Amino acid sequence: MNDRQTLGSARQTTDAAASDSTTAPAGTAASARRPLWLALGGTALVVLLALLPLLAIDIPGVLPGPTYTPGTLQLLAYAMLIAALALSYRMMFGLAGLLSFGHALFFAAGAYGLGMALDAFAPVEWPSELIFLVSIIVTLVAGLVLGATVGALALRVTGIAFAMVTLAFAQAGSVLIRRNPGGATGGDEGLALDITNVPDALVGVMNTRNLYWVALGVLVLVYLVVLWVEKSRAGHVAEATRENELRVRVLGIRPYRLQLLIFIVASVLAAVAGMGYVLLQSGATPRIATVDFTLNLLVIVVLGGVGYRWGAIVGGIVYTLLDQRLTALAGSDAIAALPDVLRIPLSEPLFILGTLFILVVLFLPGGIAGIPQRMRTGRKQHPAEAEETADA
Amino acid sequence: MSAPILTVRRLSGRIAGQQVVENVSFEVPATGVTALLGRNGVGKTSTIRSILGLIDRTGEVTLDGHRIDRLPTHRIVQQGVGYVPEDREVFGSLTVGENLRLAERDDRPRRDFVAQLFPDIHDRRAQRAGTLSGGQQQMVSLARALVNENRLLLVDEPTKGLAPKIVDEVAVALAEAARTVPMLLVEQNLHVIRALADRVVVLSGGRVVFTGEAADLLDDEDRIQRYLGVHDADAAAEGSSR
Amino acid sequence: MSTVVLLVITGLGLGALYFLVASGLSLIYGLMGVLNLAHGSFLTISAFLGWEVGRRVSDGTWLGLAVSALVGIAVGAIVAALTEYLLIRRLYERHIEQALVTVGLSLASVALFEGIWGTDPIYTEKPDWLGQTTVILGAKIPNDRFLLIACALLVLGGIVLFLRRTRYGLIIRAGVENRSMVTALGIDVRRSFTLVFAIGGAAAGLGGVLSSVYYGYVSAHLGSTLLIFAFIVTVIGGLGSLTGAAIASVLVAVLQQFANFYLGGTGDLVVVIALAAVLLVRPRGLLGKVA
């Protein structure tokens, strides 16, 4: 359709063909061993992360203090929950190509759902462990029902219209939370967690390390579920649908159900991350239900690299740390001394992140996780490109 | 014979990563009608669209000696290439008059010429093109190309899906147009090809398998069967009015 | 009766604001397939700059408001055209990336506005008449509603005239229907992309100044709120349809007003339910082309 695109994709294909022919024999031998190495490396990383609260690693400038301090653990736990949420979002956007602007709704549903359930079940004559467990199950079921309802409606349209519809539903959720119906959500003030029936081990600053482990557990759980979905038949079909919906339809498969399935799984996973969040923060604020919160998720996933599972994790952690450090930087004397033209933009973390995001989209289509690949092959490639040429 | 108006060298085209035109080479002489033939799905339409840059392409295309394979579609058309697409692609929400005005790129568009050629269309200027019959839409699509002075016409299946009587009308209009401008014509209907084509280029499996005088192909039952997969002209006509 | 009149006219006024945002969104999407999340930022920057210039010329008078409106229109058009030229064009035909860039622009610009003008709303002055009411059929109607409705009608009429009467309008209408065929007629359709962005930006810019009149303040989040309703309006009206956007703007805003009054402030929720209903019955919207 235009010369720029034509040249770009032509170059890309010749490169791909060239690399295929040279690396294919070596690649097959190596790829047989790769999953094992990845699994081992991943396990080692998880073990290392699990041991962090017992160690005293200090990375000045990146972490606010040594790794055993509650402040640092709190930040890391928050980053891991955001990474888990980003992973669930990537499964929809990166794998199935569903650009949702409403994912925050399900995170908020998990956070507010657990908070409100714990509140509602408080007077019952049950042991508090049971109440805690039942509240979690109730929240999961609520997340499932919500995801199924919104997904079933939103998936009636595709592409950009789908994005708009999910955005509208999330906005409704956001408005509802701010309205504070029956005093259940706490309105603009936010919801304070009722700790009566929360296990003691998960309450208080001294127990931050336990919450950290919970967050790590959530991240690992979400990762495994996402991995399982991606490797399943549903995942493959969803991926194929993203690349070429027509071809999938010709094979007699209706992508709607599989897309809905993925939408629901992603929603429930987001709710799980939300439950971790409400425990970690001892409450929830309406901010987590806003469209801006979803947009930040989108930034995280693209920043990390849409084409890579671990991109979402890297993105989530980098983004959270960057946001935290930029906020600290904004309040620093060095910034305050600058003239207005520099001071105002530099004291707004979101301005810097937003600008960074634009630059990544324009110049680094693979995101952070795509950098090694780019350095190896020196070519531009973006996973979402195929679907773009399909509708051209 | 004079230099060809269009030369196509090693042209390949791709849609959504899939090769639809493979290393095609042929020429279109500066006069007369060259028919581009082949079985259904062989890549005739994709070849035309590749020449115009409407799909991703590689290879060398020259118009009157000048390379056009790196130009965007609108620049190619501005060089004097008239295009009548498959399925007509008139703008249904626009009136007939608006369709024609949109297509005018010359300073002095040939409105009278078009009005004479298609009096029915001329009378329906204020009607929305979406409400026209298939035959009338084809006339609009032809008129859009003929309203400008062109150096080459690319005409893609102009009789597809039309009633026999309308097919004749379209063929007459094409013959009229072909008197002044060379044409590359994709066509299924062997009657129309017989009436119009001077030369033929046959595609098979995305490649050129035959190039030559139209008569050499059309008088050879065996070649028709082999290249086009039809037994005779009648079967071809039937196939095209499906 | 007087309540109904008040609700209808207030709804029309709010619908006017929705339309000023949605018209640009719908045209941009229809022609280019771009979902422009930065559209709210065009509105906000226009509201701020319009207010800054207007109050310096003559605060709280018609002259000041007129200056604000002109500045808002110009700023909206220029910022939108620059956005298309510098960011969107580089990602030609890559719709997801184009949407992502506008997401980044929206986040960054709102943060910048907060840095410059603070996070709290800044209350604005308006001509006295706009703060008064006019009695119609027993209902006391705030006068600013009439201004909003009149401006939206002017913009609607102007855009329709432009689309019907000019060559660029013709190209845009044809491009919304079948863009590649427009290029195949030898027309550089990309040139009209910048134009469509500029028109949409100008309408949003006017909407920014008018919303500061309607709400009585300017704030960094002015655009974000209106943008969400404008999205709903464009989906209900049918993506790419200007008339659809106009009709849906009025329907959504009036529905919202009635629900807020009679159903205990549930206007926003009722709007989303209406969206769900439209999607169930007619996924392409009221006047949208077949997807």
Side-chain angles (χ1 to χ4, degrees):
Chain A
M1 177 143 313
N2 81 331
D3 43 344
R4 198 185 123 93
Q5 188 194 9
T6 311
L7 298 178
S9 46
R11 177 164 9 94
Q12 182 190 317
T13 331
T14 35
D15 285 352
S19 66
D20 275 357
S21 56
T22 51
T23 60
T28 40
S31 65
R33 255 173 287 139
R34 268 184 72 205
L36 187 65
W37 283 116
L38 284 178
L40 283 177
T43 314
L45 190 65
V46 170
V47 170
L48 177 72
L49 283 173
L51 290 175
L52 272 190
L54 309 174
L55 305 171
I57 301 170
D58 198 2
I59 312 174
V62 177
L63 298 175
T67 46
Y68 64 87
T69 55
T72 300
L73 286 179
Q74 170 91 14
L75 178 65
L76 287 176
Y78 180 73
M80 289 194 298
L81 289 176
I82 294 297
L85 180 61
L87 255 180
S88 71
Y89 187 70
R90 195 208 79 91
M91 183 169 71
M92 263 198 311
F93 175 51
L95 178 73
L98 301 172
L99 177 60
S100 162
F101 284 147
H103 205 54
L105 180 65
F106 307 106
F107 185 70
Y112 275 95
L114 183 58
M116 290 177 344
L118 281 170
D119 210 24
F121 288 126
V124 181
E125 298 297 326
W126 294 346
S128 50
E129 288 79 12
L130 186 61
I131 293 177
F132 187 63
L133 197 66
V134 167
S135 298
I136 288 178
I137 292 169
V138 165
T139 309
L140 279 178
V141 171
L144 184 87
V145 172
L146 188 66
T149 313
V150 174
L153 279 169
L155 284 166
R156 288 177 62 83
V157 285
T158 53
I160 298 293
F162 171 82
M164 291 188 180
V165 173
T166 50
L167 179 135
F169 279 104
Q171 181 61 17
S174 175
V175 167
L176 199 62
I177 286 173
R178 278 184 202 278
R179 279 275 158 72
N180 194 13
T185 62
D188 283 332
E189 304 294 311
L191 175 87
L193 184 65
D194 180 353
I195 54 168
T196 322
N197 293 311
V198 177
D200 291 341
L202 297 178
V203 177
V205 178
M206 293 321 293
N207 287 320
T208 305
R209 67 159 74 160
N210 293 338
L211 287 164
Y212 170 87
W213 283 321
V214 168
L216 180 62
V218 167
L219 177 57
V220 170
L221 171 80
V222 170
Y223 184 87
L224 292 177
V225 173
V226 166
L227 185 68
W228 175 64
V229 169
E230 275 191 34
K231 299 293 176 206
S232 73
R233 186 173 163 279
H236 288 303
V237 175
E239 200 174 0
T241 308
R242 185 194 76 204
E243 298 296 329
N244 191 339
E245 174 155 359
L246 195 64
R247 213 181 296 164
V248 172
R249 284 183 184 279
V250 167
L251 293 175
I253 302 169
R254 284 190 58 221
Y256 176 84
R257 285 185 170 189
L258 292 166
Q259 287 174 333
L260 181 58
L261 184 71
I262 287 183
F263 190 98
I264 294 171
V265 173
S267 306
V268 172
L269 291 179
V272 170
M275 289 194 281
Y277 172 89
V278 77
L279 292 174
L280 180 70
Q281 307 287 68
S282 319
T285 57
R287 187 184 68 90
I288 61 168
T290 58
V291 171
D292 272 7
F293 194 77
T294 306
L295 295 187
N296 285 324
L297 271 185
L298 187 58
V299 171
I300 287 170
V301 169
V302 174
L303 210 60
V306 183
Y308 310 86
R309 248 191 325 276
W310 60 280
I313 301 178
V314 170
I317 291 172
V318 167
Y319 183 91
T320 311
L321 294 180
L322 209 56
D323 189 31
Q324 210 265 348
R325 298 324 290 174
L326 285 173
T327 311
L329 178 78
S332 70
D333 296 338
I335 294 289
L338 290 172
D340 274 1
V341 183
L342 290 174
R343 183 185 56 81
I344 290 174
L346 288 181
S347 56
E348 293 292 337
L350 257 184
F351 174 77
I352 301 175
L353 287 167
T355 311
L356 186 67
F357 176 68
I358 293 175
L359 294 176
V360 166
V361 173
L362 287 177
F363 301 112
L364 196 66
I368 298 173
I371 292 175
Q373 172 86 7
R374 277 169 77 86
M375 286 166 64
R376 264 203 306 279
T377 59
R379 71 183 148 117
K380 283 185 184 179
Q381 196 185 8
H382 193 274
E385 209 150 73
E387 74 192 288
E388 296 309 311
T389 38
D391 67 10
Chain B
M1 199 172 75
S2 60
I5 181 73
L6 184 81
T7 55
V8 175
R9 293 270 168 272
R10 297 180 306 280
L11 181 70
S12 294
R14 204 171 289 110
I15 299 175
Q18 247 178 343
Q19 188 100 349
V20 287
V21 180
E22 196 185 330
N23 210 9
V24 164
S25 302
F26 63 90
E27 290 177 353
V28 178
T31 54
V33 175
T34 305
L36 185 61
L37 307 177
R39 297 176 190 223
N40 275 330
V42 81
K44 302 182 295 284
T45 293
S46 296
T47 302
I48 299 265
R49 293 175 67 84
S50 299
I51 292 171
L52 279 165
L54 283 167
I55 59 179
D56 285 357
R57 81 289 203 202
T58 54
E60 195 183 307
V61 182
T62 58
L63 179 71
D64 214 359
H66 296 282
R67 291 282 290 265
I68 58 167
D69 49 81
R70 293 288 164 110
L71 297 179
T73 302
H74 65 95
R75 291 281 307 282
I76 295 175
V77 174
Q78 283 166 7
Q79 309 282 315
V81 178
Y83 174 47
V84 182
E86 192 186 19
D87 300 325
R88 319 181 235 296
E89 300 202 35
V90 298
F91 300 100
S93 63
L94 272 52
T95 65
V96 170
E98 285 173 334
N99 265 281
L100 295 181
R101 254 193 296 138
L102 191 66
E104 292 172 359
R105 25 170 238 272
D106 296 350
D107 293 337
R108 291 168 53 205
R110 307 189 292 181
R111 289 178 189 151
D112 295 340
F113 172 68
V114 168
Q116 276 169 10
L117 207 53
F118 307 108
D120 184 32
I121 294 308
H122 185 70
D123 295 340
R124 294 174 182 270
R125 279 181 314 252
Q127 189 175 337
R128 270 163 53 120
T131 62
L132 296 174
S133 71
Q136 289 162 338
Q137 289 190 1
Q138 188 62 61
M139 301 297 179
V140 173
S141 189
L142 276 169
R144 278 194 315 203
L146 297 179
V147 77
N148 303 298
E149 294 266 9
N150 288 305
R151 291 197 281 175
L152 172 68
L153 280 182
L154 302 177
V155 184
D156 195 354
E157 302 230 12
T159 65
K160 185 177 164 191
L162 298 183
K165 183 171 162 291
I166 314 289
V167 169
D168 291 346
E169 279 182 44
V170 169
V172 168
L174 286 173
E176 177 66 29
R179 294 200 331 202
T180 53
V181 59
M183 187 185 302
L184 179 62
L185 172 71
V186 172
E187 181 57 70
Q188 301 269 5
N189 187 322
L190 285 182
H191 291 304
V192 176
I193 297 167
R194 240 179 249 283
L196 291 176
D198 303 300
R199 285 166 49 83
V200 292
V201 174
V202 181
L203 291 181
S204 179
R207 294 167 181 279
V208 172
V209 292
F210 178 87
T211 314
E213 296 301 314
D216 289 347
L217 176 76
L218 297 173
D219 297 341
D220 188 335
E221 194 68 23
D222 181 47
R223 274 180 173 154
I224 292 182
Q225 160 66 20
R226 190 146 34 100
Y227 294 141
L228 308 181
V230 288
H231 291 291
D232 52 34
D234 295 328
E238 243 169 56
S240 72
S241 58
R242 130 192 70 89
Chain C
M1 178 63 197
S2 66
T3 315
V4 171
V5 174
L6 175 66
L7 290 175
V8 167
I9 295 183
T10 302
L12 286 174
L14 188 61
L17 283 185
Y18 291 167
F19 173 73
L20 289 176
V21 186
S23 54
L25 274 183
S26 194
L27 273 182
I28 289 171
Y29 182 83
L31 182 66
M32 305 165 63
V34 173
L35 176 64
N36 182 22
L37 278 111
H39 214 69
S41 296
F42 300 165
L43 182 145
T44 312
I45 183 75
S46 306
F48 272 121
L49 291 183
W51 167 71
E52 289 279 12
V53 175
R55 78 191 166 109
R56 282 181 172 78
V57 173
S58 176
D59 202 12
T61 66
W62 283 104
L63 174 67
L65 183 60
V67 169
S68 294
L70 288 178
V71 170
I73 290 171
V75 167
I78 292 169
V79 172
L82 284 177
T83 303
E84 197 281 327
Y85 195 76
L86 297 176
L87 296 176
I88 306 292
R89 180 161 293 203
R90 302 181 59 107
L91 298 167
Y92 186 67
E93 280 296 311
R94 286 153 63 183
H95 300 310
I96 300 283
E97 275 102 328
Q98 286 172 330
L100 293 182
V101 159
T102 65
V103 166
L105 188 62
S106 142
L107 291 176
S109 59
V110 170
L112 192 63
F113 300 152
E114 284 188 347
I116 299 172
W117 286 288
T119 46
D120 295 327
I122 302 171
Y123 293 93
T124 56
E125 297 291 325
K126 57 184 168 190
D128 291 338
W129 184 79
L130 289 176
Q132 297 160 1
T133 57
T134 300
V135 177
I136 294 181
L137 296 172
K140 283 188 187 170
I141 313 290
N143 288 338
D144 55 7
R145 312 291 190 263
F146 301 118
L147 177 70
L148 296 181
I149 297 168
C151 285
L153 285 176
L154 276 177
V155 169
L156 175 63
I159 296 182
V160 166
L161 270 183
F162 170 79
L163 289 177
R164 298 265 160 233
R165 295 266 178 262
T166 66
R167 178 157 178 89
Y168 270 112
L170 187 58
I171 293 172
I172 290 167
R173 277 188 293 143
V176 167
E177 190 180 325
N178 181 349
R179 198 175 50 211
S180 74
M181 192 56 220
V182 176
T183 66
L185 291 177
I187 296 161
D188 184 2
V189 79
R190 276 178 293 179
R191 239 187 268 169
S192 51
F193 289 176
T194 320
L195 191 68
V196 162
F197 254 81
I199 292 171
L206 180 63
V209 173
L210 291 177
S211 57
S212 71
V213 171
Y214 180 81
Y215 293 114
Y217 62 79
V218 282
S219 109
H221 297 279
L222 207 55
S224 325
T225 321
L226 280 170
L227 184 67
I228 288 165
F229 286 105
F231 275 145
I232 296 175
V233 161
T234 34
V235 173
I236 291 183
L239 291 162
S241 165
L242 189 74
T243 326
I247 295 170
S249 296
V250 170
L251 286 181
V252 165
V254 171
L255 184 67
Q256 205 176 3
Q257 292 299 321
F258 275 86
N260 273 337
F261 188 82
Y262 289 110
L263 300 174
T266 53
D268 298 354
L269 294 178
V270 167
V271 166
V272 174
I273 293 169
L275 172 72
V278 168
L279 285 175
L280 277 173
V281 179
R282 199 179 162 85
R284 65 194 167 96
L286 298 178
L287 298 177
K289 55 180 177 179
V290 183

